[in-house]
Amino acid sequence: MKKNYFFFLFMAGIVVLFMLASCKQAKVTEKPLQTVPQQAASQPKTSESGAPHPEAATKMPAIERKNESILLVYKHTGFGYVESYGFDTYVFRLLADPSGQISGGIVYQRTSDGEVEAIHYNVTRSSDEITLAASGADKKSWSATLKLKDSSIDVSGQQKLSAKLDKALVFASTDGNYSESYSIDQAAPEMPSEIKKGDSTLEKGKWTFPENNKAIYVQTKPDDTENTEGFQVSLWREDNGDLRFRTEGPTPINEVYASGLSAVLAGDHALSNAVLLDLMLGESRYLRPVYAFAISRRGSGK
């Protein structure tokens, strides 16, 4: 009996040790780590192209096409712009006649209360002359006259300049001492530009095409090899011809969405429309290269 009793205690002890070992092993193998991949899967996706969408809804409603021929949304991205002016985005709604000639439009400021009218533009044309008249909400007004020649235009009034279009889009002072030349040769792998005063080259630039429907423009001083003082335009061309581009220098400059711009710069009125846009939109330093790019894409999918 005593031998059986000790045997029974011995077996019972083995069973208890086995149960304790099993419980300890169960604790070690618990791995509540499945929440990590689930969180990663729930993160929002970002745009792969990086193209800007300044017309999109943020804290304000989205900007949409209406009955205009050209919708151009220009957002100033420079530091402190909103603090200085109370808004950062202009909305250009411009019209064109059946021939494709820009015929006027309205510029709005995008505010939290919606689009507020800022400037009205009216364009009239005779056989060899175009008059652009602007009137602002502040009651200020100005006008400019475009004298049309065979392949050039002389502008007088609010601004004085000359423009011509051949193998390049050229803006120049009326005395010829200052000029900006932007190549429109779509057959070239690169489209160079040159800004000159007298015999001196102030800046050089070029468009390159790293991938389909994307272009990069860089402009800076000839000796600024690191482009520390110049600027870069990154441009995306959508299948319908709409353009999106972002300009950056040492600091951010702008983000732009342009719908219908390519169409008015692709026809017989390409030069006069480029000059009208230059007068209406301003920001010539950053937008003239884009006008040249749009003109160069005529009949090209590049």
Side-chain angles (χ1 to χ4, degrees):
M1 285 292 293
K2 190 177 289 186
K3 184 185 291 186
N4 290 340
Y5 175 76
F6 284 116
F7 177 78
F8 175 78
L9 288 176
F10 174 77
M11 294 301 294
I14 291 176
V15 172
V16 170
L17 290 173
F18 177 80
M19 291 177 66
L20 289 173
S22 298
C23 292
K24 188 175 182 180
Q25 185 179 8
K27 274 190 175 181
V28 171
T29 56
E30 287 182 337
K31 295 181 180 179
L33 303 177
Q34 295 301 313
T35 54
V36 173
Q38 288 175 354
Q39 288 174 349
S42 65
Q43 292 176 354
K45 294 181 180 179
T46 58
S47 172
E48 292 183 1
S49 72
H53 289 259
E55 82 287 3
T58 52
K59 295 180 180 179
M60 293 173 276
I63 298 170
E64 299 178 346
R65 287 291 298 262
K66 295 181 180 178
N67 64 336
E68 66 277 324
S69 304
I70 307 166
L71 171 63
L72 192 143
V73 182
Y74 189 107
K75 181 178 181 179
H76 292 271
T77 54
F79 301 127
Y81 195 94
V82 174
E83 290 75 13
S84 298
Y85 298 97
F87 69 99
D88 62 7
T89 302
Y90 283 99
V91 181
F92 294 81
R93 298 186 183 275
L94 307 179
L95 303 175
D97 64 24
S99 71
Q101 175 70 66
I102 292 175
S103 58
I106 302 176
V107 184
Y108 301 85
Q109 297 171 355
R110 188 188 195 187
T111 72
S112 56
D113 297 324
E115 296 179 22
V116 178
E117 290 188 13
I119 306 173
H120 283 252
Y121 287 116
N122 186 53
V123 177
T124 56
R125 177 168 183 163
S126 62
S127 59
D128 63 349
E129 192 172 277
I130 296 175
T131 300
L132 170 64
S135 58
D138 55 5
K139 306 302 181 183
K140 294 181 180 180
S141 62
W142 56 267
S143 65
T145 300
L146 286 64
K147 192 72 175 179
L148 309 179
K149 300 180 180 180
D150 289 340
S151 58
S152 65
I153 294 174
D154 289 333
V155 180
S156 60
Q158 171 71 5
Q159 293 188 40
K160 293 179 174 61
L161 60 89
S162 295
K164 64 180 182 180
L165 182 64
D166 186 11
K167 294 183 179 180
L169 174 63
V170 179
F171 292 90
S173 59
T174 53
D175 62 4
N177 188 50
Y178 175 87
S179 67
E180 300 179 14
S181 176
Y182 304 92
S183 171
I184 60 168
D185 183 6
Q186 63 175 267
E190 297 180 349
M191 297 196 308
S193 63
E194 186 174 25
I195 291 79
K196 297 186 68 176
K197 186 174 182 179
D199 295 329
S200 301
T201 297
L202 302 179
E203 291 184 300
K204 285 187 174 184
K206 64 180 179 181
W207 281 105
T208 57
F209 309 95
E211 57 189 79
N212 188 39
N213 287 332
K214 184 175 181 181
I216 300 292
Y217 179 79
V218 176
Q219 179 179 310
T220 192
K221 296 178 181 179
D223 57 352
D224 182 17
T225 57
E226 300 297 323
N227 193 22
T228 58
E229 300 179 58
F231 65 92
Q232 175 177 304
V233 180
S234 301
L235 182 147
W236 292 261
R237 184 177 186 272
E238 299 182 346
D239 292 340
N240 61 1
D242 289 358
L243 303 179
R244 298 183 182 277
F245 53 96
R246 175 185 296 109
T247 309
E248 298 171 295
T251 60
I253 297 169
N254 66 40
E255 291 184 349
V256 182
Y257 167 62
S259 179
L261 181 68
S262 298
V264 299
L265 293 174
D268 296 335
H269 304 296
L271 179 58
S272 60
N273 282 341
V275 173
L276 286 170
L277 289 166
D278 191 62
L279 294 169
M280 291 176 171
L281 274 63
E283 301 294 336
S284 300
R285 174 172 167 81
Y286 308 118
L287 292 179
R288 286 175 177 176
V290 176
Y291 302 150
F293 170 87
I295 292 172
S296 75
R297 300 301 94 186
R298 291 180 292 183
S300 171
K302 189 175 181 179

